[in-house]
Amino acid sequence: MSDAASAAAPLAGITVVTLEQAVSAPMCTRTLADFGARVIKIENPRGGDFARHYDDVVNGLAAHFVWVNRGKESVTLDLKSPDGIAVLHRLLDRADALVSNLAPGSTARLGIAPDDIAVRHPELIAVEIDGYGPGGPMSQKRAYDLLIQAESGTCAVTGYPDAPAKPGPPVADVCSGLYAALSILALLCNKSRRSAAMPAVAVSLFDTATELMGYHLNYTRHSGIDQQPLGMSSPAVAPYGAYRTADDQIVVLGTQNDGEWQRLARDVLQREDLAQDDRFRTNAGRVAHRDLLDEAVGTWCARHDLASVQKVADAAQIGNARYNRPSEVLQHPQLAARDRWRQINTPAGPVAALLPPPVIAGFEPPMGAIPGLGQHTDAVLAELGISDEEICDLRQRGAIGPAYS
């Protein structure tokens, strides 16, 4: 990124230090990096972020790691050593935020829990992402995305009644990371008006997942009914689902209100009888008779190819989509037409990556490189005034990892 572009970045001049693994905290800090923040990723010299080793499909790099770690600098520090912790505190002296998603109790053992930060680095925003949040009977349990989705009920409303499923993307991890990034942005807005230490931020995967379950929890609390999963449909509205077409494609059709249902029945299905049937007059009635409507829509779709179905649905202003596999999304014409792909650098050469979702007029996201393990250790330590001789000494004592090559 050029100096001019860097200066125009919304978070130019903001430095974030992160102790992170897997997806949740890395998604938080990658989001901040996409807005122009400097992100210094502290990694264990012995292997670093374990997501580096999930697979090797991206030219020898892991797909998860490449996804959520662009635009960061990697510094290896052994935080179990006094020298490593001392260097970390020197970094925190210059930082605006510290993000972590270590195991429960880890930051307290390292002396960098929120209470410690408030005393030693009162201007720092300390953000901890954990599994279940402090103070409950499950606070010390290990928490991965799948476990959280099962515990929060997300899996119970995904898939089918006899085959519950986890949503494909790690939604608890991703959304927790985004909530953490949003919290940092909110506190940065308020920073100049504060006279006391910055408040700490705690985001738990379980709290996030139960927030995402808001509709289902409200429905069950007030109806006493555990809604059953409906695959590619919705318990809230009908007709709404996936239907096979005459050319063996799958189209998704959906209605959200009574007017859309009338257009679907009359203009798409050509079924005046359905449009006038009192059983289907309201959404509640349509949901109660979902099977009848799915049969009618499915029969009509089976007589037409995908292109015809979508043409008629578009003309009637009925929402519709094509069911795509990941391999088809890679070639999606909407992404191509809007120039959504960029090349980013990695230790294994350039790879394609999608631009971040926010489009800010006049700002081109930096789309920085994927760091090699410890790639920036020497340069970052030199910024702290640590000499080459001292860096060599730290390396010999195991406080930092091997020199990057």
Side-chain angles (χ1 to χ4, degrees):
M1 184 166 57
S2 69
D3 290 342
S6 177
L11 292 182
I14 298 298
T15 298
V16 179
V17 174
T18 180
L19 312 176
E20 59 184 23
Q21 304 275 6
V23 174
S24 61
M27 175 57 76
C28 168
T29 57
R30 195 212 78 180
T31 300
L32 300 173
D34 285 338
F35 286 128
R38 182 185 188 186
V39 176
I40 300 174
K41 182 182 180 82
I42 306 302
E43 299 193 71
N44 189 312
R46 295 171 293 281
D49 184 340
F50 53 69
R52 286 183 177 274
H53 313 291
Y54 280 169
D55 55 57
D56 60 1
V57 300
V58 186
N59 301 334
L61 306 176
H64 270 93
F65 190 84
V66 170
W67 170 38
V68 290
N69 283 285
R70 66 168 175 254
K72 303 179 185 181
E73 301 170 47
S74 173
V75 172
T76 51
L77 290 178
D78 182 357
L79 298 182
K80 293 182 180 180
S81 76
D83 290 328
I85 285 290
V87 172
L88 175 63
H89 280 293
R90 292 178 68 172
L91 286 170
L92 297 181
D93 285 337
R94 300 180 172 209
D96 297 282
L98 168 66
V99 177
S100 66
N101 67 333
L102 305 180
S106 294
T107 54
R109 288 191 293 272
L110 294 171
I112 52 171
D115 288 347
D116 303 312
I117 294 297
V119 173
R120 186 158 181 177
H121 306 283
E123 296 296 311
L124 191 71
I125 301 169
V127 181
E128 290 199 358
I129 304 174
D130 66 7
Y132 292 97
M138 301 180 70
S139 295
Q140 299 304 310
K141 286 181 70 71
R142 285 193 175 274
Y144 306 133
D145 186 85
L146 171 60
L147 307 180
I148 292 294
Q149 292 203 40
E151 196 74 41
S152 67
T154 308
C155 294
V157 298
T158 309
Y160 294 92
D162 59 345
K166 168 193 171 297
V171 294
D173 276 340
V174 170
C175 292
S176 294
L178 295 177
Y179 272 120
L182 179 62
S183 300
I184 291 171
L185 295 176
L187 291 174
L188 286 173
C189 288
N190 184 251
K191 190 171 184 178
S192 64
R193 301 193 296 271
R194 294 194 62 84
S195 57
M198 293 296 290
V201 176
V203 177
S204 85
L205 302 185
F206 186 68
D207 289 347
T208 296
T210 51
E211 166 64 20
L212 298 178
M213 285 286 292
Y215 159 72
H216 297 89
L217 296 180
N218 273 338
Y219 189 95
T220 299
R221 178 184 292 278
H222 296 284
S223 71
I225 298 170
D226 280 320
Q227 291 178 315
Q228 296 301 297
L230 296 170
M232 286 186 63
S233 187
S234 165
V237 292
Y240 192 96
Y243 308 94
R244 194 166 293 276
T245 62
D247 54 345
D248 205 31
Q249 299 292 315
I250 295 176
V251 66
V252 179
L253 294 172
T255 59
Q256 293 285 316
N257 55 58
D258 296 340
E260 288 185 0
W261 157 245
Q262 290 295 318
R263 294 200 302 275
L264 175 66
R266 288 191 165 97
D267 301 340
V268 176
L269 303 182
Q270 301 289 306
R271 292 285 303 272
E272 186 68 26
D273 59 315
L274 296 180
Q276 295 186 15
D277 194 318
D278 280 345
R279 292 175 298 175
F280 312 136
R281 184 173 55 83
T282 66
N283 182 64
R286 294 192 294 276
V287 168
H289 298 92
R290 179 191 308 278
D291 291 348
L292 295 177
L293 295 182
D294 279 343
E295 181 180 2
V297 176
T299 298
W300 182 83
C301 288
R303 296 199 303 264
H304 302 82
D305 62 27
L306 175 68
S308 299
V309 170
Q310 292 197 280
K311 181 178 181 180
V312 172
D314 283 340
Q317 296 185 311
I318 297 299
N320 64 90
R322 180 179 189 266
Y323 167 83
N324 286 317
R325 297 175 178 84
S327 56
E328 294 164 323
V329 177
L330 290 173
Q331 309 302 323
H332 202 291
Q334 187 73 4
L335 296 176
R338 297 181 63 239
D339 193 25
R340 295 293 297 164
W341 292 101
R342 293 291 185 275
Q343 292 287 309
I344 61 172
N345 292 322
T346 80
V351 300
L354 282 168
L355 285 164
V359 178
I360 301 175
F363 170 63
E364 177 75 11
M367 303 298 284
I370 304 299
L373 178 59
Q375 180 177 350
H376 304 90
T377 303
D378 290 28
V380 170
L381 267 57
E383 288 182 39
L384 299 177
I386 300 175
S387 68
D388 291 345
E389 292 76 14
E390 291 173 298
I391 291 173
C392 183
D393 187 47
L394 288 170
R395 185 160 281 130
Q396 289 178 345
R397 297 205 300 268
I400 61 177
Y404 183 79
S405 59

